[in-house]
Amino acid sequence: MAQKDGMMTDSYTDNLIGTLLAIFGNLLVSISVSIQKQSHVTLAGNKDPRQYYYTKTWWLGLVLMVLGEGALFVSYAFAPLSLIAPLNAVSVISSSILGFLFLREKWKAQEFLKRYILTFLGCAMTAGGTYLFVTFGPNSHEKLNAENIVKHVISWPFLLYLLLGIIAFCLVLYYYKQRNANYLVLILLLVALLGSVTVITVKAVSGMIVLSIVGPLQLSYPIFYVMFVCMVATIVFQASFLAQASHLYDSSLIACVNYIFCTTFAIGGGAVFYQEFNHEDVLHICLFLLGCAICFLGVFLITKNKRKAKSFEPYVTMDMAKGIPTIHNKGWAVQPDYNGSFSYGALENNDSVAPVTLPVNHEQSVSPGPVSSYQPSELKKD
């Protein structure tokens, strides 16, 4: 009985260390991204010709990002996978708060509340959901040595899970590439399927490295390098699919859907591979899932209220610059050599068409003198 209590105490301590490391890592990553973005904005606003990597703030952001990612990597060695994955919501909350600090816009109290009420509500729901799934999350404790990793790899639940994942990945990839189904759900489903393998391998590699530092060496086993190669490969392909999604869809929408998909598949991967819910009762599992669902809704509300950038539409407006109609939002004169069509009012290039002869008004006397050009003031009078 005393040995069981000791194992539960060790498990609680490890979970606490892993949770704190994950929260700290997500905070550092959010701060680093905001600092680097502020560096880019400052250079653009001051019209500084220097490259961004010559600024101290950008390097400070890079250092903080490395520290944050390192803390996240180590956290997988201590806490269950199903507990670490949903904590990415901390990054969403901190990014939203930092956005207010870096935005520096002046709003009236009523306008500010009206615009950001959904963001405040989303942050509150995400914080409450985080508390729920951290409190009632799995409390498993297992030393991730090479023998245990191999045992999990060859277990039939994981082999079945891997087979179904490969089949689903191939089907989605076929529709995405061959049928040109460029739907956000399909692209991020590919990311989530790869992500479930990524988090499994990250936890295995991180656990074996930490165990090698504090105990027997695990880096001499082949399973470590198999897991490491799978981790790097899945991360690279994830980044590729996310880059493709970012060219097609809004970043706020990507952040919301990607968080929901990746967290769901990560929890499923942890439940199947590491069997993290085997010793949990039904009430704890239900409260854990309720906390995750509240986090999903909170993240949706936060990202839903993000401001979307207005895309440029090259249609002709009634604005006049020196008497000449201009293109919307740019102040450009109407260009007659654009070979394309965006919207109503766009002009196409008709160089291949022969010019039409204008009718001559015989009532007016034609003089061979030079043709006088219209002045902008005359156009304005008309």
Side-chain angles (χ1 to χ4, degrees), residues 32-352:
S32 67
V33 172
S34 298
I35 290 176
Q36 288 184 329
K37 184 175 182 179
Q38 184 67 17
S39 175
H40 289 288
V41 171
T42 303
L43 286 176
N46 297 334
K47 297 182 179 179
D48 195 331
R50 294 182 301 167
Q51 296 292 333
Y52 61 89
Y53 45 79
Y54 285 114
T55 60
K56 295 180 180 179
T57 53
W58 186 86
W59 282 103
L60 175 62
L62 181 63
V63 172
L64 292 178
M65 180 174 291
V66 172
L67 292 176
E69 293 292 348
L72 283 172
F73 179 77
V74 176
S75 68
Y76 282 96
F78 292 94
L81 182 57
S82 303
L83 189 61
I84 299 298
L87 284 174
N88 288 329
V90 175
S91 179
V92 179
I93 297 176
S94 56
S95 297
S96 180
I97 295 174
L98 290 172
F100 290 123
L101 298 179
F102 282 100
L103 199 58
R104 296 178 181 176
E105 289 186 353
K106 296 181 179 179
W107 296 82
K108 294 181 179 179
Q110 186 177 1
E111 295 177 354
F112 184 84
L113 184 63
K114 183 179 179 181
R115 175 169 177 78
Y116 293 107
I117 184 64
L118 288 180
T119 301
F120 293 147
L121 180 61
C123 289
M125 294 185 66
T126 306
T130 302
Y131 173 78
L132 272 179
F133 72 70
V134 168
T135 303
F136 298 100
N139 198 30
S140 61
H141 180 73
E142 182 184 18
K143 296 295 182 182
L144 295 178
N145 54 30
E147 182 180 355
N148 289 336
I149 297 298
V150 172
K151 181 182 67 175
H152 289 310
V153 168
I154 62 177
S155 63
W156 71 265
F158 175 69
L159 293 177
L160 179 61
Y161 175 83
L162 187 63
L163 177 62
L164 295 177
I166 292 174
I167 294 174
F169 183 84
C170 292
L171 288 175
V172 176
L173 186 63
Y174 169 77
Y175 280 99
Y176 173 53
K177 292 294 185 180
Q178 300 297 326
R179 299 295 183 89
N180 294 324
N182 297 326
Y183 302 111
L184 180 63
V185 172
L186 293 183
I187 302 175
L188 295 186
L189 188 59
L190 293 172
V191 175
L193 288 169
L194 291 171
S196 65
V197 179
T198 300
V199 292
I200 289 173
T201 54
V202 166
K203 182 173 177 62
V205 172
S206 176
M208 295 175 75
I209 291 176
V210 171
L211 188 59
S212 299
I213 295 174
V214 300
L217 184 66
Q218 303 293 317
L219 306 185
S220 59
Y221 292 93
I223 189 64
F224 172 80
Y225 299 98
V226 172
M227 288 292 183
F228 182 80
V229 171
C230 292
M231 178 186 71
V232 174
T234 52
I235 289 175
V236 171
F237 283 108
Q238 271 187 281
S240 175
F241 285 121
L242 281 175
Q244 295 174 32
S246 64
H247 285 88
L248 299 173
Y249 297 95
D250 180 69
S251 59
S252 299
L253 183 60
I254 294 174
C256 175
V257 180
N258 188 53
Y259 171 74
I260 296 174
F261 279 9
C262 287
T263 301
T264 302
F265 280 88
I267 293 173
V272 173
F273 188 87
Y274 295 105
Q275 301 175 1
E276 295 175 344
F277 293 94
N278 282 5
H279 304 289
E280 301 294 328
D281 54 27
V282 177
L283 179 61
H284 278 204
I285 294 176
C286 291
L287 290 175
F288 170 80
L289 295 178
L290 176 62
C292 292
I294 294 175
C295 272
F296 292 163
L297 182 57
V299 170
F300 170 75
L301 292 178
I302 293 173
T303 55
K304 183 178 184 297
N305 204 40
K306 293 286 186 181
R307 179 181 296 179
K308 296 183 180 180
K310 187 176 181 180
S311 59
F312 167 64
E313 299 179 6
Y315 56 84
V316 179
T317 67
M318 297 304 295
D319 300 329
M320 305 291 286
K322 294 183 180 180
I324 302 175
T326 59
I327 291 297
H328 171 70
N329 201 30
K330 290 293 183 181
W332 296 340
V334 179
Q335 71 276 32
D337 57 349
Y338 181 74
N339 190 15
S341 178
F342 283 92
S343 60
Y344 178 79
L347 301 180
E348 296 184 354
N349 186 4
N350 295 322
D351 293 340
S352 60

